[in-house]
Amino acid sequence: MKAMKTTLATVTLCLVLLMATGFPLEKKGGSSSGSAGKEKRVQYAGWDDVNVIAHGLLQLGQGLKEHVDKTKVQMRDISTKLKVFNRTVAELGKESQKLRVEGDALKARAHGLEDREGQLLNVTAELREKAEEMQQERRTMKERMSLLEERVDSMLQGDAVVLDTSAGAKNNSDAQNIQLMMEAQNKRVDDLVERIRLQQEKLDKQNVRIRTLQTQVQQSRQRASPRGSDTDAQSGLSEQSDSPVEMATDCHELFLRGETTSGVYTIQPINAEPFKVFCEITADGGWTVIQRRQDGSVDFDQLWQAYKKGFGALDGEFWLGLENIHSIAKDGGYILNIKLSDWSDDLVSIDLPFHLGGEETKYSLKIQKADTFSLLESSLGTDTTSGQPFSTSDQDNDQKKDTNCANHLSGGWWFSNCGPSNLNGRYFQTPPPKQRHQRKQSIFWKTWRGRYYPLKSSRMMIAPAAILKKA
């Protein structure tokens, strides 16, 4: 722009000079009489001046052309930026419209949640009223039971008084109720007698084993020298404990023999080879631990043969093995206890009566419960009432046709339709993964903390059903 102004100033100066020199001018003579006869002299601009002017005009034209070209480039840049700006404005308008629509949807959901909250409050109020009604009925039943007990006492003491016919009919009705109560009580007594008989049989077996042990100890002492008698007696006991005939069939039998410490023991179920187990000894009996998850030190994403034989360390994380579990509980009458904990160290315990089939049934798990399942129990019990085979990534025995649940989730389990529980999934330390497709591969129990909550620990144990009756 500065060069343009300089060129214009140069051309203007040249034009002024041209105007001053280029037009002819008259020269006045010395006298008026002499001038009339002389021709007038005309002066013209020189050639150099014309060249200067032409050169200045050429520079002016070139400057104007460059200025026009720069202006065109600037106009194109401005036009391009305006198009980009228009597109950005249009996109912002679309995003604003989407946000407005999402805001309306969120408002609608908020209204829906408010309505549901109101419904829940109404249901809560109804449940509270029903609970009060049930408490009232319970108090009424207690009063009626007290009256019946008083009448029974009066009848037993011979203080019953026969009044009129209507009173006699009422007494007959009361007598029928009392008879029903007596029959129920007799049934309970029969059940207790049966339980006592079973316990007596076990005690007799234990007495036989104790006498056998005592006999063997005495024989060992008699054969041993006086100096080594104590050592040989201990050796005899050790050999007896390792004898297949005298091994316990499960951890509860070890408890009945007097074991009080939890730890690793060797057992031998009926018609099976001996193997080591971890026994959880409680005040009520001995539980055989079949699974433990606590720190992720063992990979539970194993194949069929590994789940059949077992893997891991008995003093840490492990799976006892489907064949070993079947050998213990193949005759039925066993309880499956499941203990779970979350990352807040809250605990929950579940007891389910079960039966485990052999390899010919793919180790099918069947939960045998007479009454309905609670919400907590339903995560495993609902899908196994008719028997559910075990599945791994190389043995697809689940009920989902197009999906291998062991591959879709992780580990081996009694999957139905990739159902609501899997205690052999991947172990995730806290905090859990953000992606839901990863969290659903974890250790979860849907009806406790949800399907996408990785649990902190799990432990599965089995024991004879009599252990719960004793407790």
Side-chain angles (χ1 to χ4, degrees):
M1 196 67 183
K2 183 177 181 182
M4 187 72 179
K5 291 180 180 179
T6 304
T7 304
L8 288 174
T10 303
V11 172
T12 303
L13 179 60
C14 290
L15 288 174
V16 171
L17 292 173
L18 181 62
M19 289 176 65
T21 61
F23 295 98
L25 299 173
E26 294 182 358
K27 278 192 174 184
K28 295 181 180 181
S31 61
S32 61
S33 61
S35 63
K38 294 180 180 180
E39 294 180 355
K40 295 179 179 180
R41 292 183 180 181
V42 180
Q43 294 182 354
Y44 296 93
W47 183 251
D48 293 336
D49 296 335
V50 173
N51 285 337
V52 171
I53 294 171
H55 183 68
L57 290 173
L58 182 61
Q59 288 183 349
L60 176 62
Q62 290 177 350
L64 289 173
K65 183 177 181 299
E66 292 176 358
H67 180 68
V68 170
D69 292 339
K70 290 181 180 179
T71 304
K72 286 181 179 179
V73 172
Q74 291 176 354
M75 291 296 293
R76 283 196 297 269
D77 292 341
I78 292 172
S79 177
T80 303
K81 291 179 179 178
L82 284 174
K83 290 180 181 178
V84 173
F85 178 75
N86 290 334
R87 284 198 299 268
T88 304
V89 171
E91 291 175 357
L92 287 175
K94 292 180 181 178
E95 292 294 331
S96 299
Q97 182 66 24
K98 289 182 181 179
L99 290 174
R100 191 178 298 109
V101 172
E102 291 177 357
D104 295 338
L106 288 174
K107 288 181 181 178
R109 290 182 62 184
H111 290 308
L113 291 174
E114 290 177 356
D115 295 337
R116 289 184 180 179
E117 184 179 4
Q119 294 175 0
L120 287 173
L121 291 175
N122 294 333
V123 171
T124 303
E126 292 178 359
L127 290 174
R128 190 179 295 110
E129 292 177 358
K130 289 182 179 180
E132 292 177 355
E133 292 177 358
M134 292 179 66
Q135 290 180 355
Q136 182 62 33
E137 291 179 358
R138 185 177 180 181
R139 287 193 292 269
T140 304
M141 290 296 296
K142 285 184 177 179
E143 293 176 356
R144 292 180 62 185
M145 288 296 296
S146 299
L147 292 174
L148 285 174
E149 290 176 356
E150 292 176 359
R151 290 176 181 175
V152 170
D153 293 338
S154 62
M155 290 176 66
L156 292 175
Q157 293 175 2
D159 295 336
V161 179
V162 179
L163 301 175
D164 52 7
T165 306
S166 59
K170 185 176 181 181
N171 288 334
N172 288 333
S173 176
D174 292 341
Q176 292 176 356
N177 292 332
I178 293 170
Q179 185 177 1
L180 293 174
M181 291 175 60
M182 294 297 294
E183 290 176 356
Q185 190 67 24
N186 289 334
K187 186 177 180 180
R188 292 178 183 176
V189 171
D190 293 338
D191 293 339
L192 289 173
V193 170
E194 180 65 19
R195 288 173 60 184
I196 292 171
R197 185 185 65 80
L198 294 174
Q199 293 295 331
Q200 186 62 43
E201 289 179 357
K202 291 182 178 180
L203 289 174
D204 293 340
K205 291 180 181 179
Q206 297 303 321
N207 289 330
V208 171
R209 291 177 180 174
I210 290 172
R211 286 195 296 270
T212 303
L213 286 172
Q214 290 175 345
T215 301
Q216 292 181 356
V217 169
Q218 291 176 357
Q219 292 175 355
S220 298
R221 287 179 177 177
Q222 290 175 359
R223 291 193 300 268
S225 61
R227 182 178 296 177
S229 60
D230 294 339
T231 304
D232 291 340
Q234 292 177 1
S235 176
L237 284 173
S238 176
E239 291 175 359
Q240 181 62 28
S241 64
D242 293 335
S243 174
V245 177
E246 296 301 329
M247 285 185 183
T249 58
D250 61 9
C251 291
H252 188 60
E253 188 169 337
L254 287 171
F255 168 79
L256 295 176
R257 291 185 181 186
E259 294 291 347
T260 58
T261 305
S262 300
V264 178
Y265 295 88
T266 301
I267 65 171
Q268 184 179 21
I270 299 174
N271 298 326
E273 294 296 324
F275 55 89
K276 292 185 179 297
V277 297
F278 189 93
C279 294
E280 187 75 21
I281 307 298
T282 67
D284 300 317
W287 292 85
T288 306
V289 182
I290 65 172
Q291 184 252 34
R292 186 190 291 123
R293 308 294 303 277
Q294 60 188 15
D295 53 20
S297 58
V298 175
D299 183 11
F300 271 65
D301 193 11
Q302 302 283 343
L303 300 180
W304 179 265
Q305 285 299 320
Y307 271 99
K308 176 183 175 182
K309 296 180 179 180
F311 53 87
L314 291 175
D315 57 350
E317 290 195 337
F318 71 93
W319 174 259
L320 185 60
L322 291 166
E323 188 61 34
N324 291 335
I325 301 170
H326 169 68
S327 67
I328 298 173
K330 59 180 176 292
D331 295 330
Y334 269 72
I335 293 293
L336 172 63
N337 174 260
I338 300 173
K339 295 186 184 300
L340 308 172
S341 71
D342 61 13
W343 291 96
S344 298
D345 291 329
D346 291 333
L347 303 175
V348 69
S349 180
I350 306 157
D351 291 313
L352 294 168
F354 80 102
H355 176 269
L356 186 67
E359 189 172 13
E360 69 279 1
T361 69
K362 305 296 183 182
Y363 299 105
S364 178
L365 176 67
K366 186 174 183 181
I367 302 299
Q368 303 167 317
K369 190 173 181 182
D371 53 351
T372 58
F373 293 105
S374 67
L375 182 63
L376 197 60
E377 297 169 340
S378 63
S379 283
L380 183 61
T382 303
D383 294 334
T384 55
T385 52
S386 58
Q388 178 59 47
F390 197 84
S391 291
T392 58
S393 58
D394 61 334
Q395 283 270 7
D396 187 6
N397 301 317
D398 55 64
Q399 298 177 7
K400 202 159 183 74
K401 295 182 180 179
D402 302 330
T403 303
N404 184 334
C405 294
N407 280 331
H408 183 62
L409 300 176
S410 182
W413 191 249
W414 293 279
F415 297 111
S416 54
N417 289 316
C418 302
S421 66
N422 179 18
L423 300 185
N424 290 333
R426 295 177 60 188
Y427 191 93
F428 289 113
Q429 300 283 352
T430 185
K434 295 182 179 180
Q435 300 296 329
R436 294 184 70 185
H437 73 275
Q438 292 180 331
R439 295 202 307 273
K440 72 181 179 182
Q441 295 180 344
S442 66
I443 308 169
F444 68 89
W445 194 269
K446 183 178 180 181
T447 55
W448 188 43
R449 288 293 181 262
R451 183 169 186 174
Y452 299 100
Y453 182 97
L455 296 174
K456 182 179 181 181
S457 69
S458 71
R459 182 173 55 181
M460 301 172 63
M461 308 184 296
I462 61 174
I467 196 171
L468 293 184
K469 294 179 181 178
K470 181 179 179 181

